[in-house]
Amino acid sequence: MEMTSTAIEKFLEKEIGLSADAVGSDIISKAVQLRMKDCGLQGPGEYLECLMSSGKEQEKLIEEVVIPETWFFRNRESYVYLRQYLKNEWHQKSKGKTVRILSVPCSTGEEPYSIAMSLMDSGIDRSKMHIEAVDISTAAVLKAKKARYGSRSFRGGDLGFRDRFFDPEENVYVLKESVKQMVKFCTDNLLRKGFSKERDPYDILFCRNLLIYLSPEAKKEALAVIKKLLTSEGILFLGHAERQVAVEQGFAGIHRPGVFACRKERRKAPDEKKEIVDAAFLPKQRIFEKAARTGFKGNVAPPFFSREVASKNVLKTETVKHESPEKQSDLFDGAQRLADQGSLQSALKLCSDFLKQNPTHVRANFLMGLLFEALDDADKAENCFNKALYLEPKHSDALSHLAFIMEQKGEKDRALGLRKRAMRIHGGV
């Protein structure tokens, strides 16, 4: 059984770059069990033989392990930056040209349609917009083309766009035809040989929450393909835990609060050193870049909390109540793992369950804050970060995130004070 599971995991890594360590062997195992049942097969050995001999079955297994966790305007700051960049920078240099944008993987369409709505709001001539969307899942692409979405696709407090761009129909919202026509969908694999050669360069490329599921080799390969796909000054948007991986492969990080993006080419500025220092205290970026670097296996500090942060905030001394430490640790580790995989709502549920029995756990309160922040619920995130600070006043990361929230609320003086506290703690003052 173990040899068969390993063979299936190696197949998935070879075909789509999927890392069993990243996505979780249990998820792959459940997908295999479902496929075995549908195929009427009794044992893993029979299924492996079927998988290796059937291209159709290979496609179906890949469909089963793909994780389609997405919603409209996920990480809203990225879309704000996209509009500003196109209007203030790209348009000035490229007057008369068509802006070319690619979303890969596009999942069920929420991301490319969010891009289309952003461009429509930016005032750019529609004839000068070209948006392509690619995903390895045929089922996801078919759903994207239908453009009919339930409530899970709409999250956060600002849903004004839904009234303007969707028509309600029973229990779903149907995207207006004017937006649907702006996106060209197709089924394909970014890691397929020839993928980049068949396409003209893009000015903007969204590739969010793909790299976190890939093996180290597949990450490098994906970023090499992305470099070929981008124009010389192209912008790459990534997931919250992926920007550092791209920087390590030669991309230049864009330092904007809440925006996880890079330029294809590095740009050296006179105040480059100052920019790097300031970037260390931008919320989300700092903590999630640590996440990308640290990773976790067994008893290693989990991705959201590096060894440095864990020891500095004396988090290892926290006690566990009611249930055994092992059971509670499993619950908390599970929440962190789900968060890293992008399953934010599931992570939120586990973290909430953990906090019911461990209300004074610093890391759990901080993780809850990160999750609410990623889900665009600033008020709940603020409450969680304040709890973490009450329990550990020198928690510099909670201070940085709280400063960002205050800044967004327009409380600049308070934000500045919080950021200075974070810098003093980080510098050991």
PDB file of all heavy atoms in Angstrom, residues 3-31:
ATOM      1  N   MET A   3       4.013   1.612  -0.962  1.00  0.00           N
ATOM      2  CA  MET A   3       4.735   1.752  -2.227  1.00  0.00           C
ATOM      3  C   MET A   3       3.819   2.294  -3.313  1.00  0.00           C
ATOM      4  O   MET A   3       4.223   3.119  -4.134  1.00  0.00           O
ATOM      5  CB  MET A   3       5.326   0.403  -2.640  1.00  0.00           C
ATOM      6  CG  MET A   3       6.485  -0.046  -1.769  1.00  0.00           C
ATOM      7  SD  MET A   3       7.132  -1.655  -2.261  1.00  0.00           S
ATOM      8  CE  MET A   3       7.755  -1.285  -3.895  1.00  0.00           C
ATOM      9  N   THR A   4       2.571   1.831  -3.301  1.00  0.00           N
ATOM     10  CA  THR A   4       1.592   2.305  -4.289  1.00  0.00           C
ATOM     11  C   THR A   4       1.306   3.782  -4.092  1.00  0.00           C
ATOM     12  O   THR A   4       1.258   4.561  -5.061  1.00  0.00           O
ATOM     13  CB  THR A   4       0.283   1.500  -4.177  1.00  0.00           C
ATOM     14  OG1 THR A   4       0.564   0.114  -4.354  1.00  0.00           O
ATOM     15  CG2 THR A   4      -0.715   1.950  -5.224  1.00  0.00           C
ATOM     16  N   SER A   5       1.114   4.213  -2.848  1.00  0.00           N
ATOM     17  CA  SER A   5       0.851   5.622  -2.546  1.00  0.00           C
ATOM     18  C   SER A   5       2.019   6.493  -2.995  1.00  0.00           C
ATOM     19  O   SER A   5       1.826   7.570  -3.570  1.00  0.00           O
ATOM     20  CB  SER A   5       0.612   5.807  -1.043  1.00  0.00           C
ATOM     21  OG  SER A   5      -0.518   5.077  -0.623  1.00  0.00           O
ATOM     22  N   THR A   6       3.239   6.013  -2.734  1.00  0.00           N
ATOM     23  CA  THR A   6       4.439   6.755  -3.146  1.00  0.00           C
ATOM     24  C   THR A   6       4.487   6.890  -4.661  1.00  0.00           C
ATOM     25  O   THR A   6       4.832   7.959  -5.189  1.00  0.00           O
ATOM     26  CB  THR A   6       5.708   6.048  -2.644  1.00  0.00           C
ATOM     27  OG1 THR A   6       5.657   5.961  -1.226  1.00  0.00           O
ATOM     28  CG2 THR A   6       6.952   6.809  -3.057  1.00  0.00           C
ATOM     29  N   ALA A   7       4.136   5.816  -5.365  1.00  0.00           N
ATOM     30  CA  ALA A   7       4.151   5.846  -6.834  1.00  0.00           C
ATOM     31  C   ALA A   7       3.138   6.856  -7.373  1.00  0.00           C
ATOM     32  O   ALA A   7       3.418   7.583  -8.336  1.00  0.00           O
ATOM     33  CB  ALA A   7       3.850   4.448  -7.381  1.00  0.00           C
ATOM     34  N   ILE A   8       1.960   6.926  -6.743  1.00  0.00           N
ATOM     35  CA  ILE A   8       0.934   7.878  -7.182  1.00  0.00           C
ATOM     36  C   ILE A   8       1.380   9.309  -6.895  1.00  0.00           C
ATOM     37  O   ILE A   8       1.197  10.208  -7.721  1.00  0.00           O
ATOM     38  CB  ILE A   8      -0.410   7.567  -6.494  1.00  0.00           C
ATOM     39  CG1 ILE A   8      -0.954   6.228  -6.992  1.00  0.00           C
ATOM     40  CG2 ILE A   8      -1.427   8.680  -6.753  1.00  0.00           C
ATOM     41  CD1 ILE A   8      -2.185   5.730  -6.261  1.00  0.00           C
ATOM     42  N   GLU A   9       1.973   9.521  -5.727  1.00  0.00           N
ATOM     43  CA  GLU A   9       2.483  10.853  -5.384  1.00  0.00           C
ATOM     44  C   GLU A   9       3.582  11.287  -6.358  1.00  0.00           C
ATOM     45  O   GLU A   9       3.641  12.451  -6.771  1.00  0.00           O
ATOM     46  CB  GLU A   9       2.995  10.864  -3.948  1.00  0.00           C
ATOM     47  CG  GLU A   9       1.879  10.772  -2.914  1.00  0.00           C
ATOM     48  CD  GLU A   9       2.389  10.636  -1.491  1.00  0.00           C
ATOM     49  OE1 GLU A   9       3.639  10.655  -1.308  1.00  0.00           O
ATOM     50  OE2 GLU A   9       1.568  10.508  -0.559  1.00  0.00           O
ATOM     51  N   LYS A  10       4.459  10.348  -6.739  1.00  0.00           N
ATOM     52  CA  LYS A  10       5.522  10.672  -7.702  1.00  0.00           C
ATOM     53  C   LYS A  10       4.941  10.997  -9.069  1.00  0.00           C
ATOM     54  O   LYS A  10       5.452  11.871  -9.774  1.00  0.00           O
ATOM     55  CB  LYS A  10       6.501   9.497  -7.801  1.00  0.00           C
ATOM     56  CG  LYS A  10       7.440   9.389  -6.610  1.00  0.00           C
ATOM     57  CD  LYS A  10       8.458   8.277  -6.799  1.00  0.00           C
ATOM     58  CE  LYS A  10       9.437   8.245  -5.623  1.00  0.00           C
ATOM     59  NZ  LYS A  10      10.427   7.144  -5.765  1.00  0.00           N
ATOM     60  N   PHE A  11       3.870  10.300  -9.449  1.00  0.00           N
ATOM     61  CA  PHE A  11       3.200  10.593 -10.712  1.00  0.00           C
ATOM     62  C   PHE A  11       2.675  12.028 -10.717  1.00  0.00           C
ATOM     63  O   PHE A  11       2.868  12.771 -11.682  1.00  0.00           O
ATOM     64  CB  PHE A  11       2.045   9.608 -10.938  1.00  0.00           C
ATOM     65  CG  PHE A  11       1.029  10.103 -11.931  1.00  0.00           C
ATOM     66  CD1 PHE A  11       1.290  10.078 -13.291  1.00  0.00           C
ATOM     67  CD2 PHE A  11      -0.179  10.644 -11.492  1.00  0.00           C
ATOM     68  CE1 PHE A  11       0.363  10.573 -14.208  1.00  0.00           C
ATOM     69  CE2 PHE A  11      -1.110  11.129 -12.396  1.00  0.00           C
ATOM     70  CZ  PHE A  11      -0.839  11.093 -13.756  1.00  0.00           C
ATOM     71  N   LEU A  12       2.004  12.409  -9.616  1.00  0.00           N
ATOM     72  CA  LEU A  12       1.445  13.765  -9.532  1.00  0.00           C
ATOM     73  C   LEU A  12       2.538  14.828  -9.540  1.00  0.00           C
ATOM     74  O   LEU A  12       2.378  15.897 -10.136  1.00  0.00           O
ATOM     75  CB  LEU A  12       0.590  13.892  -8.265  1.00  0.00           C
ATOM     76  CG  LEU A  12      -0.733  13.128  -8.279  1.00  0.00           C
ATOM     77  CD1 LEU A  12      -1.354  13.099  -6.894  1.00  0.00           C
ATOM     78  CD2 LEU A  12      -1.705  13.728  -9.289  1.00  0.00           C
ATOM     79  N   GLU A  13       3.662  14.525  -8.893  1.00  0.00           N
ATOM     80  CA  GLU A  13       4.772  15.487  -8.896  1.00  0.00           C
ATOM     81  C   GLU A  13       5.353  15.632 -10.297  1.00  0.00           C
ATOM     82  O   GLU A  13       5.665  16.742 -10.740  1.00  0.00           O
ATOM     83  CB  GLU A  13       5.863  15.054  -7.920  1.00  0.00           C
ATOM     84  CG  GLU A  13       7.012  16.050  -7.838  1.00  0.00           C
ATOM     85  CD  GLU A  13       7.992  15.749  -6.737  1.00  0.00           C
ATOM     86  OE1 GLU A  13       7.648  14.986  -5.805  1.00  0.00           O
ATOM     87  OE2 GLU A  13       9.115  16.278  -6.795  1.00  0.00           O
ATOM     88  N   LYS A  14       5.481  14.528 -11.009  1.00  0.00           N
ATOM     89  CA  LYS A  14       6.041  14.566 -12.359  1.00  0.00           C
ATOM     90  C   LYS A  14       5.106  15.287 -13.330  1.00  0.00           C
ATOM     91  O   LYS A  14       5.546  16.089 -14.155  1.00  0.00           O
ATOM     92  CB  LYS A  14       6.292  13.140 -12.854  1.00  0.00           C
ATOM     93  CG  LYS A  14       6.886  13.086 -14.255  1.00  0.00           C
ATOM     94  CD  LYS A  14       7.070  11.639 -14.718  1.00  0.00           C
ATOM     95  CE  LYS A  14       7.578  11.605 -16.158  1.00  0.00           C
ATOM     96  NZ  LYS A  14       7.695  10.196 -16.658  1.00  0.00           N
ATOM     97  N   GLU A  15       3.817  15.012 -13.233  1.00  0.00           N
ATOM     98  CA  GLU A  15       2.856  15.565 -14.190  1.00  0.00           C
ATOM     99  C   GLU A  15       2.528  17.031 -13.939  1.00  0.00           C
ATOM    100  O   GLU A  15       2.455  17.826 -14.878  1.00  0.00           O
ATOM    101  CB  GLU A  15       1.560  14.743 -14.162  1.00  0.00           C
ATOM    102  CG  GLU A  15       1.705  13.356 -14.734  1.00  0.00           C
ATOM    103  CD  GLU A  15       2.107  13.369 -16.202  1.00  0.00           C
ATOM    104  OE1 GLU A  15       1.461  14.096 -16.985  1.00  0.00           O
ATOM    105  OE2 GLU A  15       3.051  12.653 -16.563  1.00  0.00           O
ATOM    106  N   ILE A  16       2.292  17.401 -12.680  1.00  0.00           N
ATOM    107  CA  ILE A  16       1.852  18.776 -12.392  1.00  0.00           C
ATOM    108  C   ILE A  16       2.702  19.473 -11.332  1.00  0.00           C
ATOM    109  O   ILE A  16       2.373  20.574 -10.891  1.00  0.00           O
ATOM    110  CB  ILE A  16       0.366  18.826 -11.986  1.00  0.00           C
ATOM    111  CG1 ILE A  16       0.118  18.006 -10.713  1.00  0.00           C
ATOM    112  CG2 ILE A  16      -0.517  18.344 -13.118  1.00  0.00           C
ATOM    113  CD1 ILE A  16      -1.307  18.132 -10.183  1.00  0.00           C
ATOM    114  N   GLY A  17       3.807  18.831 -10.911  1.00  0.00           N
ATOM    115  CA  GLY A  17       4.701  19.454  -9.938  1.00  0.00           C
ATOM    116  C   GLY A  17       4.188  19.434  -8.517  1.00  0.00           C
ATOM    117  O   GLY A  17       4.775  20.059  -7.635  1.00  0.00           O
ATOM    118  N   LEU A  18       3.109  18.713  -8.257  1.00  0.00           N
ATOM    119  CA  LEU A  18       2.470  18.726  -6.938  1.00  0.00           C
ATOM    120  C   LEU A  18       3.350  18.046  -5.889  1.00  0.00           C
ATOM    121  O   LEU A  18       3.813  16.932  -6.076  1.00  0.00           O
ATOM    122  CB  LEU A  18       1.119  18.022  -7.005  1.00  0.00           C
ATOM    123  CG  LEU A  18       0.250  18.115  -5.752  1.00  0.00           C
ATOM    124  CD1 LEU A  18      -0.322  19.507  -5.611  1.00  0.00           C
ATOM    125  CD2 LEU A  18      -0.874  17.084  -5.821  1.00  0.00           C
ATOM    126  N   SER A  19       3.565  18.730  -4.774  1.00  0.00           N
ATOM    127  CA  SER A  19       4.345  18.181  -3.675  1.00  0.00           C
ATOM    128  C   SER A  19       3.410  17.565  -2.645  1.00  0.00           C
ATOM    129  O   SER A  19       2.547  18.255  -2.090  1.00  0.00           O
ATOM    130  CB  SER A  19       5.189  19.275  -3.020  1.00  0.00           C
ATOM    131  OG  SER A  19       5.695  18.850  -1.779  1.00  0.00           O
ATOM    132  N   ALA A  20       3.587  16.271  -2.373  1.00  0.00           N
ATOM    133  CA  ALA A  20       2.754  15.596  -1.366  1.00  0.00           C
ATOM    134  C   ALA A  20       2.975  16.205   0.011  1.00  0.00           C
ATOM    135  O   ALA A  20       2.045  16.283   0.817  1.00  0.00           O
ATOM    136  CB  ALA A  20       3.072  14.101  -1.343  1.00  0.00           C
ATOM    137  N   ASP A  21       4.185  16.669   0.294  1.00  0.00           N
ATOM    138  CA  ASP A  21       4.471  17.296   1.587  1.00  0.00           C
ATOM    139  C   ASP A  21       3.672  18.579   1.755  1.00  0.00           C
ATOM    140  O   ASP A  21       3.225  18.919   2.852  1.00  0.00           O
ATOM    141  CB  ASP A  21       5.964  17.604   1.715  1.00  0.00           C
ATOM    142  CG  ASP A  21       6.799  16.350   1.929  1.00  0.00           C
ATOM    143  OD1 ASP A  21       6.219  15.336   2.365  1.00  0.00           O
ATOM    144  OD2 ASP A  21       8.001  16.384   1.646  1.00  0.00           O
ATOM    145  N   ALA A  22       3.512  19.322   0.657  1.00  0.00           N
ATOM    146  CA  ALA A  22       2.822  20.614   0.729  1.00  0.00           C
ATOM    147  C   ALA A  22       1.308  20.455   0.795  1.00  0.00           C
ATOM    148  O   ALA A  22       0.637  21.092   1.603  1.00  0.00           O
ATOM    149  CB  ALA A  22       3.197  21.482  -0.467  1.00  0.00           C
ATOM    150  N   VAL A  23       0.769  19.608  -0.078  1.00  0.00           N
ATOM    151  CA  VAL A  23      -0.689  19.490  -0.130  1.00  0.00           C
ATOM    152  C   VAL A  23      -1.206  18.522   0.935  1.00  0.00           C
ATOM    153  O   VAL A  23      -2.357  18.617   1.370  1.00  0.00           O
ATOM    154  CB  VAL A  23      -1.141  19.034  -1.540  1.00  0.00           C
ATOM    155  CG1 VAL A  23      -0.842  17.572  -1.776  1.00  0.00           C
ATOM    156  CG2 VAL A  23      -2.622  19.314  -1.761  1.00  0.00           C
ATOM    157  N   GLY A  24      -0.358  17.591   1.355  1.00  0.00           N
ATOM    158  CA  GLY A  24      -0.767  16.615   2.369  1.00  0.00           C
ATOM    159  C   GLY A  24      -1.081  15.257   1.762  1.00  0.00           C
ATOM    160  O   GLY A  24      -1.945  15.153   0.880  1.00  0.00           O
ATOM    161  N   SER A  25      -0.371  14.232   2.221  1.00  0.00           N
ATOM    162  CA  SER A  25      -0.601  12.872   1.695  1.00  0.00           C
ATOM    163  C   SER A  25      -2.025  12.402   1.948  1.00  0.00           C
ATOM    164  O   SER A  25      -2.586  11.624   1.171  1.00  0.00           O
ATOM    165  CB  SER A  25       0.387  11.890   2.337  1.00  0.00           C
ATOM    166  OG  SER A  25       1.711  12.171   1.934  1.00  0.00           O
ATOM    167  N   ASP A  26      -2.636  12.889   3.043  1.00  0.00           N
ATOM    168  CA  ASP A  26      -4.005  12.469   3.361  1.00  0.00           C
ATOM    169  C   ASP A  26      -4.987  12.963   2.310  1.00  0.00           C
ATOM    170  O   ASP A  26      -5.948  12.270   1.968  1.00  0.00           O
ATOM    171  CB  ASP A  26      -4.411  12.964   4.753  1.00  0.00           C
ATOM    172  CG  ASP A  26      -4.239  14.460   4.932  1.00  0.00           C
ATOM    173  OD1 ASP A  26      -3.413  15.040   4.201  1.00  0.00           O
ATOM    174  OD2 ASP A  26      -4.911  15.039   5.802  1.00  0.00           O
ATOM    175  N   ILE A  27      -4.752  14.162   1.771  1.00  0.00           N
ATOM    176  CA  ILE A  27      -5.640  14.702   0.730  1.00  0.00           C
ATOM    177  C   ILE A  27      -5.520  13.874  -0.541  1.00  0.00           C
ATOM    178  O   ILE A  27      -6.518  13.552  -1.195  1.00  0.00           O
ATOM    179  CB  ILE A  27      -5.300  16.183   0.463  1.00  0.00           C
ATOM    180  CG1 ILE A  27      -5.720  17.035   1.666  1.00  0.00           C
ATOM    181  CG2 ILE A  27      -5.978  16.684  -0.808  1.00  0.00           C
ATOM    182  CD1 ILE A  27      -5.364  18.496   1.559  1.00  0.00           C
ATOM    183  N   ILE A  28      -4.281  13.511  -0.895  1.00  0.00           N
ATOM    184  CA  ILE A  28      -4.069  12.679  -2.078  1.00  0.00           C
ATOM    185  C   ILE A  28      -4.702  11.315  -1.874  1.00  0.00           C
ATOM    186  O   ILE A  28      -5.350  10.764  -2.770  1.00  0.00           O
ATOM    187  CB  ILE A  28      -2.565  12.548  -2.379  1.00  0.00           C
ATOM    188  CG1 ILE A  28      -1.971  13.917  -2.751  1.00  0.00           C
ATOM    189  CG2 ILE A  28      -2.322  11.545  -3.507  1.00  0.00           C
ATOM    190  CD1 ILE A  28      -0.478  13.917  -2.957  1.00  0.00           C
ATOM    191  N   SER A  29      -4.551  10.761  -0.673  1.00  0.00           N
ATOM    192  CA  SER A  29      -5.120   9.447  -0.365  1.00  0.00           C
ATOM    193  C   SER A  29      -6.641   9.462  -0.493  1.00  0.00           C
ATOM    194  O   SER A  29      -7.243   8.531  -1.054  1.00  0.00           O
ATOM    195  CB  SER A  29      -4.720   9.029   1.054  1.00  0.00           C
ATOM    196  OG  SER A  29      -5.289   7.793   1.391  1.00  0.00           O
ATOM    197  N   LYS A  30      -7.290  10.525  -0.004  1.00  0.00           N
ATOM    198  CA  LYS A  30      -8.749  10.627  -0.110  1.00  0.00           C
ATOM    199  C   LYS A  30      -9.184  10.727  -1.569  1.00  0.00           C
ATOM    200  O   LYS A  30     -10.197  10.150  -1.975  1.00  0.00           O
ATOM    201  CB  LYS A  30      -9.243  11.848   0.664  1.00  0.00           C
ATOM    202  CG  LYS A  30      -9.205  11.661   2.178  1.00  0.00           C
ATOM    203  CD  LYS A  30      -9.636  12.939   2.890  1.00  0.00           C
ATOM    204  CE  LYS A  30      -9.520  12.765   4.409  1.00  0.00           C
ATOM    205  NZ  LYS A  30      -9.870  14.015   5.133  1.00  0.00           N
ATOM    206  N   ALA A  31      -8.395  11.469  -2.362  1.00  0.00           N
ATOM    207  CA  ALA A  31      -8.708  11.598  -3.789  1.00  0.00           C
ATOM    208  C   ALA A  31      -8.607  10.245  -4.484  1.00  0.00           C
ATOM    209  O   ALA A  31      -9.455   9.889  -5.320  1.00  0.00           O
ATOM    210  CB  ALA A  31      -7.757  12.602  -4.444  1.00  0.00           C
TER     211      ALA A  31
END
